């Protein structure tokens, strides 16, 4: 994923470990893994291959989070837009 701005890390690895409890989202991760492997196969450098897979999952999670936040704000935006439209703005 191409990122224009550097990513600010807002969670530390130790905190992530405390929050992780084999969540129900594991089936989503399995689907991501299977899709990645089907399309990309396996690289000859094991470390690079695993890091690529992890980066794919991480970036997918970032997109998911962004979309969830936008969805939360969407009703708020619709109300604001409707208000401005009603006010002739």
């Amino acid at each position: 994923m191409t990122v224009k701005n550097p990513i600010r890390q807002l969670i530390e690895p130790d905190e992530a470990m405390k929050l992780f409890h084999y969540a129900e989202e594991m089936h989503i991760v399995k689907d991501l893994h299977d899709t990645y492997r089907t399309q990309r196969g396996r690289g000859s450098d094991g470390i690079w291959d695993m890091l690529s897979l992890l980066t794919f999952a991480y970036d997918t999670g970032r997109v998911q989070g962004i979309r969830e936040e936008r969805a939360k704000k969407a009703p708020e935006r619709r109300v604001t837009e409707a208000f401005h439209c009603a006010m002739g703005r």
Side-chain angles (χ1 to χ4, degrees), residues 4-24:
K4 294 181 181 178
N5 299 319
I7 297 170
R8 279 187 359 177
Q9 184 175 343
L10 301 175
I11 184 169
E12 295 297 321
D14 288 339
E15 181 185 8
M17 287 304 296
K18 289 176 188 171
L19 295 172
F20 179 71
H21 298 285
Y22 293 100
E24 58 195 42

Side-chain angles (χ1 to χ4, degrees), residues 11-88:
I11 184 169
E12 295 297 321
D14 288 339
E15 181 185 8
M17 287 304 296
K18 289 176 188 171
L19 295 172
F20 179 71
H21 298 285
Y22 293 100
E24 58 195 42
E25 294 86 3
M26 194 167 294
H27 69 278
I28 296 170
V29 175
K30 174 72 167 103
D31 290 343
L32 287 171
H33 171 270
D34 293 347
T35 299
Y36 181 89
R37 288 293 179 216
T38 298
Q39 293 185 17
R40 295 281 179 102
R42 291 189 181 272
S44 58
D45 181 343
I47 297 293
W48 184 259
D49 181 60
M50 181 55 70
L51 291 174
S52 296
L53 174 60
L54 291 171
T55 301
F56 169 72
Y58 177 83
D59 284 347
T60 301
R62 287 188 66 240
V63 170
Q64 176 72 24
I66 290 167
R67 290 181 179 173
E68 287 176 1
E69 289 302 312
R70 286 180 182 164
K72 286 180 193 174
K73 294 177 183 177
E76 177 183 307
R77 272 197 306 256
R78 277 189 237 120
V79 168
T80 303
E81 290 169 2
F83 173 77
H84 288 299
C85 183
M87 298 302 291

